[in-house]
Amino acid sequence: MSEKVYFEIRNLHADVEGSPILKGVDLKINKGEIHAMMGPNGSGKSTLSNVIMGHPSYEVTEGEILFGGQNMVELAPEERAQSGLFLAFQYPVAVPGVTTAKFLKSAFDAVHGEQNIKAIAFLKELRANMKYLGVREEFINRYMNDGFSGGEKKRMEILQMLTLQPQMAIMDETDSGLDIDALKVVSKGVNKLVSPAFSLLVITHYERILNYIKPDHLHILMDGKIVFTGGSETVKKLEEKGYDWVREEYGQEVLAGREEASKV
Amino acid sequence: MTTETTFINDEYKYGFVTEVEADTIPKGLNEDIIRMISEKKNEPDWMLEWRLQAYRWWLNKEEPQWPMLNFEPVNYQDLRYYSAPKKMADRFKNEEGKIDPEVKKTFEKLGIPLDEQKQLEGVAIDAVFDSVSVATTHQKVLEDLGIIFCSVSEACEKHPELIKKYLGSVVPYTDNFYATLNSAVFTDGSFVYVPKGVKCPVELSTYFRINAQDTGQFERTLIIADEGSYVSYLEGCTAPMRDRNQLHAAVVELIALGDAQIKYATIQNWYAGDKEGKGGIYNFVTKRGHCRGKNSKISWTQVEAGAAITWKYPSCILEGDNSTGEFYSVAVTNNCMQADTGTKMIHIGNKTKSTIISKGISAGQSANTYRGLVQVLPDAFGCRNYSACDSMLMGDQCSANTVPYIEAENSTAVIEHEATTSKISEEQLFYIKSRGIDEENAINLVVNGFCKEVFKQLPLEFAVEATKLLEMKLEGSIG
């Protein structure tokens, strides 16, 4: 793996309950790049993000996920996070009885080591990030995602990302269900992290978010495979023409595969 | 010479045995044994008479069959009903009685220093070793305020009028099989009296330790909060690991007069037996509080983390108008442990209120039952109860049951009951782990979050203790 290629997926195949969802995904992300991944319903987008993070319901049957010189497939989810990977969930999970502050401090300590930051400094930083994302201060003592609205949960995912400072993040449909103002705030948060040392994979259903988080490359996933890779100009094309041109270009194979997937 | 054996065990670090010369009596139970106990304790005749009445009553009683518990019957003739470290045995005859150094060391190992200079700040402790109270700390501070905190035996001697008036007034000797047995053979325990208007400035605490083999522990605690007073009391308990079952049948009586408040917290970590269910403590306990006066309040908080079998229902009799009863409970069972625990809230006075928060966590092959009664009597107007009973299951071989009884005989009563059962979910664990937190800590976060409402009732240092205890108990229970 060259110095520049930071995150690489090679020939990734994955099953859920015995049925194959990912059928040979190849993807290279260089350090500092932003990639977008789009695709119709059932194409395997969420499966890909779950597999990258190591969800126990998905089984990798073939292939590798290389990050920082390690094959992530062999690591537990927490080890993947500790090596600098982050997933912003499409459906964040509530942890009743555990405050946002407690949750984030535990996560920070697990990723960066307990000695690295004092509680007071940590809280100061957390408050600053909350303010930046327009999250009300009371959320610091609310239980993680417990009774949060959809939009609040999504903001909380980005707050976690800002707190943990990963080197590589995957955003799984973070934009779904957000109004335009919330989308702007979330994007603002993500852009704060963007740097030559940070790589990002934005998985989305809609082009909208890509007006705020500008990708260097765009991939289209269909039936468990990346069928098209292009530059940022592709965003406009998709916006105007939808996925039809992709289907035309890649023929019946993709269409048939897609129908099959949508039945699942 | 005395020696000490320590069993190294990660799961139960309090499982060591202290070798002390013990002053014991023969095994078995009959009137002569009871006379012997009474004599050892130098008790007045009226006390012996009360014990004998209880014993005669007990002879015609049978063990309750209704709890959801399975266990081998206890052979009451094969138990020893009194055991005391020998050097302490004469304590109540000799003013200068020093504590056996081995016993002192035992308590130090349990984190309970008895030396004056090492004592925990803000906590006065009564240490009970097998059948007798060996030391009570912070006596001076308490005496200055007129607070009596001593062993029940000492109270019999020095404050007979209070014992005569209150002992058995909340849990009479006719109450139930185990309470009756306790009344006949109880050996020691703590006595607290807080005078009118006094707010006790330190936490009062008792630490029970069963050491001798084949010995039952039958302690009796009596706490009286006089009008307008306040007291917070904590009890902790441990026992060595033995492969035979040991019986612990305690009785606790609380009495709150007008405007008085009693907070009573328990962290129970008796030896629970091994993974196959061999050995462990049978914890058959009767705890009851009586809110006698107007605006009085009694709160029970319990963290039940040990014992092979727990059978325990800390209850409140809400007699004084506008009195309040609270019950906060975390019961954890793992391996082959069984717990049938809950509370009774009896609303007698007008506008009495009660709150029940119960959290049951079952792992391994254990069984965990919440059993509770909320009763509102016909002439109790404007009463309220809120109950929430949540169960969490870890793995698929354990069980959780909720058995709530509600008997509202007055139509003005407002009673709310909520119950949930959840499994610790894969999605939740994955979410937490994806943030870099390992499985063990992820489970701890979820479990502590689940118990939060109860833990926040405990004084801070005990809440920390309880958190650690749970982590230890559930180690390796998933995966």
Side-chain angles (χ1 to χ4, degrees):
Chain A
M1 195 160 80
S2 82
E3 185 64 19
K4 223 184 150 208
V5 178
Y6 195 52
F7 179 86
E8 184 177 4
I9 296 175
R10 285 186 193 160
N11 191 31
L12 188 67
H13 290 252
D15 288 5
V16 59
E17 286 165 0
S19 54
I21 307 288
L22 299 183
K23 301 166 183 173
V25 175
D26 288 287
L27 177 67
K28 280 183 193 175
I29 299 179
N30 292 323
K31 213 168 192 171
E33 285 181 352
I34 298 176
H35 289 232
M37 172 92 60
M38 300 189 70
N41 287 332
S43 56
K45 299 193 301 294
S46 282
T47 297
L48 181 64
S49 61
N50 278 313
V51 168
I52 292 172
M53 212 60 219
H55 193 293
S57 298
Y58 300 85
E59 195 196 344
V60 173
T61 53
E62 217 184 318
E64 294 175 311
I65 302 167
L66 301 167
F67 175 60
Q70 277 180 298
N71 184 5
M72 293 290 120
V73 174
E74 290 157 7
L75 302 182
E78 61 271 26
E79 294 169 315
R80 300 180 196 206
Q82 287 159 15
S83 60
L85 213 52
F86 182 90
L87 171 63
F89 280 59
Q90 185 181 1
Y91 302 110
V93 184
V95 190
V98 180
T99 61
T100 301
K102 164 89 180 159
F103 185 89
L104 286 175
K105 183 71 168 74
S106 305
F108 186 89
D109 289 348
V111 172
H112 297 284
E114 207 161 332
Q115 284 73 37
N116 279 345
I117 194 161
K118 289 262 190 306
I120 293 166
F122 177 82
L123 280 175
K124 201 180 157 198
E125 175 84 20
L126 181 59
R127 286 210 172 88
N129 284 333
M130 288 172 83
K131 205 173 167 194
Y132 193 78
L133 289 173
V135 177
R136 288 195 310 279
E137 182 138 347
E138 64 177 77
F139 274 75
I140 219 162
N141 289 318
R142 280 185 63 179
Y143 300 146
M144 184 49 95
N145 293 330
D146 197 15
F148 290 13
S149 72
E152 286 164 347
K153 283 182 186 170
K154 294 294 175 70
R155 278 184 207 215
M156 203 46 78
E157 291 297 290
I158 302 307
L159 177 65
Q160 292 187 45
M161 191 159 115
L162 283 181
T163 305
L164 296 178
Q165 301 276 332
Q167 278 109 55
M168 162 84 203
I170 301 108
M171 291 167 61
D172 187 6
E173 300 202 20
T174 303
D175 52 332
S176 301
L178 290 188
D179 62 34
I180 194 74
D181 292 332
L183 185 65
K184 279 182 184 166
V185 171
V186 160
S187 304
K188 190 174 101 175
V190 175
N191 285 322
K192 197 182 175 197
L193 274 177
V194 171
S195 80
F198 174 74
S199 310
L200 180 65
L201 177 62
V202 182
I203 295 174
T204 180
H205 213 66
Y206 308 100
E207 305 79 30
R208 208 175 50 158
I209 191 173
L210 303 178
N211 295 324
Y212 302 97
I213 303 172
K214 302 261 188 244
D216 303 302
H217 303 277
L218 186 138
H219 311 274
I220 293 173
L221 189 73
M222 280 193 177
D223 190 28
K225 273 184 189 171
I226 290 174
V227 295
F228 174 86
T229 294
S232 55
E233 74 285 351
T234 321
V235 177
K236 204 155 189 112
K237 198 168 171 186
L238 275 174
E239 204 167 353
E240 284 161 9
K241 302 186 178 170
Y243 290 106
D244 285 349
W245 61 274
V246 187
R247 288 194 190 101
E248 273 159 31
E249 236 164 281
Y250 297 92
Q252 271 323 105
E253 193 196 331
V254 167
L255 275 177
R258 195 202 154 203
E259 273 157 24
E260 211 173 273
S262 62
K263 276 183 217 153
V264 174
Chain B
M1 276 303 285
T2 55
T3 54
E4 194 167 54
T5 330
T6 306
F7 293 104
I8 309 289
N9 185 291
D10 287 346
E11 286 154 10
Y12 191 72
K13 64 175 172 173
Y14 308 112
F16 60 89
V17 177
T18 311
E19 300 280 341
V20 287
E21 275 186 87
D23 173 28
T24 56
I25 59 173
K27 280 185 180 178
L29 182 55
N30 52 52
E31 294 203 2
D32 286 342
I33 291 281
I34 291 167
R35 282 176 212 282
M36 227 182 279
I37 294 170
S38 189
E39 201 188 306
K40 291 238 178 247
K41 306 197 82 64
N42 209 13
E43 285 176 358
D45 288 346
W46 53 266
M47 197 51 162
L48 173 63
E49 207 40 53
W50 194 72
R51 285 176 182 277
L52 291 171
Q53 277 175 5
Y55 174 70
R56 287 164 199 150
W57 187 271
W58 181 78
L59 288 174
N60 296 315
K61 286 225 150 191
E62 277 177 22
E63 287 166 312
Q65 297 301 318
W66 47 263
M68 290 191 198
L69 304 170
N70 288 307
F71 59 97
E72 291 289 307
V74 177
N75 181 353
Y76 294 94
Q77 294 305 331
D78 194 34
L79 283 178
R80 211 182 294 284
Y81 290 85
Y82 184 86
S83 174
K86 200 157 200 171
K87 290 167 201 165
M88 282 303 305
D90 294 335
R91 179 175 172 192
F92 304 111
K93 290 171 187 164
N94 177 5
E95 288 284 294
E96 298 303 308
K98 285 267 193 298
I99 306 165
D100 187 312
E102 289 301 318
V103 172
K104 203 157 89 180
K105 244 193 252 170
T106 300
F107 280 104
E108 266 163 29
K109 273 176 91 165
L110 298 167
I112 317 289
L114 300 178
D115 282 335
E116 198 68 50
Q117 62 272 30
K118 292 188 206 151
Q119 282 169 12
L120 301 173
E121 210 170 302
V123 186
I125 293 172
D126 183 22
V128 178
F129 192 84
D130 285 339
S131 302
V132 292
S133 166
V134 294
T136 308
T137 68
H138 288 269
Q139 283 290 8
K140 184 79 179 72
V141 187
L142 300 174
E143 267 168 33
D144 290 348
L145 289 164
I147 296 167
I148 304 167
F149 179 39
C150 63
S151 70
V152 169
S153 305
E154 203 178 328
C156 277
E157 207 174 325
K158 294 187 181 160
H159 311 282
E161 69 299 341
L162 289 172
I163 294 287
K164 272 188 184 167
K165 187 171 176 188
Y166 292 108
L167 191 77
S169 72
V170 186
V171 181
Y173 67 76
T174 52
D175 196 77
N176 71 75
F177 184 85
Y178 300 111
T180 304
L181 177 63
N182 174 288
S183 304
V185 301
F186 79 88
T187 40
D188 219 333
S190 295
F191 175 82
V192 177
Y193 172 79
V194 188
K196 276 184 192 171
V198 172
K199 312 269 182 236
C200 185
V202 292
E203 305 276 348
L204 301 184
S205 180
T206 307
Y207 201 93
F208 296 104
R209 173 78 179 166
I210 296 182
N211 189 61
Q213 192 152 8
D214 301 326
T215 302
Q217 181 151 345
F218 304 91
E219 85 272 2
R220 187 135 195 144
T221 299
L222 176 59
I223 299 177
I224 303 139
D226 212 326
E227 287 170 18
S229 68
Y230 166 86
V231 63
S232 170
Y233 182 93
L234 292 141
E235 78 176 352
C237 15
T238 54
M241 294 163 58
R242 302 209 188 261
D243 57 9
R244 294 178 60 173
N245 296 104
Q246 285 180 285
L247 179 64
H248 171 251
V251 171
V252 174
E253 297 176 275
L254 310 182
I255 295 132
L257 301 180
D259 299 302
Q261 188 182 353
I262 302 175
K263 289 178 88 165
Y264 191 104
T266 307
I267 295 183
Q268 185 264 98
N269 187 23
W270 295 118
Y271 177 53
D274 67 10
K275 284 211 158 87
E276 279 70 47
K278 200 168 165 47
I281 302 286
Y282 289 169
N283 189 35
F284 301 147
V285 172
T286 305
K287 292 186 169 175
R288 197 173 300 152
H290 190 177
C291 286
R292 278 191 199 173
K294 277 183 188 171
N295 309 318
S296 55
K297 183 174 176 184
I298 289 178
S299 305
W300 297 100
T301 304
Q302 61 172 16
V303 178
E304 299 288 318
I309 298 176
T310 296
W311 178 93
K312 171 180 176 193
Y313 313 89
S315 304
C316 296
I317 300 167
L318 303 168
E319 189 182 359
D321 286 348
N322 205 33
S323 60
T324 306
E326 293 174 338
F327 175 74
Y328 298 95
S329 170
V330 167
V332 186
T333 54
N334 199 352
N335 300 322
C336 300
M337 288 164 68
Q338 305 175 61
D340 193 303
T341 183
T343 184
K344 288 191 273 186
M345 294 290 174
I346 315 291
H347 294 257
I348 301 171
N350 292 328
K351 292 188 176 171
T352 49
K353 299 175 286 297
S354 61
T355 303
I356 299 170
I357 307 287
S358 164
K359 306 279 180 179
I361 302 167
S362 349
Q365 297 92 52
S366 68
N368 202 325
T369 300
Y370 167 82
R371 186 187 300 277
L373 168 68
V374 176
Q375 187 178 27
V376 180
L377 297 190
D379 49 3
F381 287 87
C383 299
R384 301 183 76 97
N385 162 267
Y386 172 75
S387 305
C389 303
D390 301 322
S391 309
M392 182 181 275
L393 301 170
M394 293 190 168
D396 47 19
Q397 291 178 59
C398 52
S399 66
N401 297 293
T402 302
V403 192
Y405 300 89
I406 297 170
E407 294 171 12
E409 294 167 60
N410 183 304
S411 60
T412 63
V414 178
I415 295 175
E416 288 174 77
H417 180 89
E418 292 172 19
T420 65
T421 301
S422 59
K423 261 194 127 162
I424 189 159
S425 84
E426 199 171 65
E427 290 302 323
Q428 208 174 25
L429 286 180
F430 174 61
Y431 184 69
I432 300 170
K433 287 198 278 185
S434 81
R435 299 307 183 232
I437 298 165
D438 66 26
E439 172 134 332
E440 206 73 54
N441 286 318
I443 293 170
N444 290 339
L445 265 188
V446 174
V447 168
N448 284 319
F450 180 71
C451 299
K452 182 94 167 193
E453 275 173 283
V454 175
F455 285 174
K456 69 183 182 195
Q457 299 298 323
L458 293 168
L460 186 65
E461 58 201 290
F462 290 86
V464 172
E465 199 59 33
T467 305
K468 281 195 211 143
L469 182 60
L470 247 64
E471 289 176 4
M472 205 168 75
K473 286 284 155 180
L474 295 169
E475 212 173 317
S477 53
I478 278 203

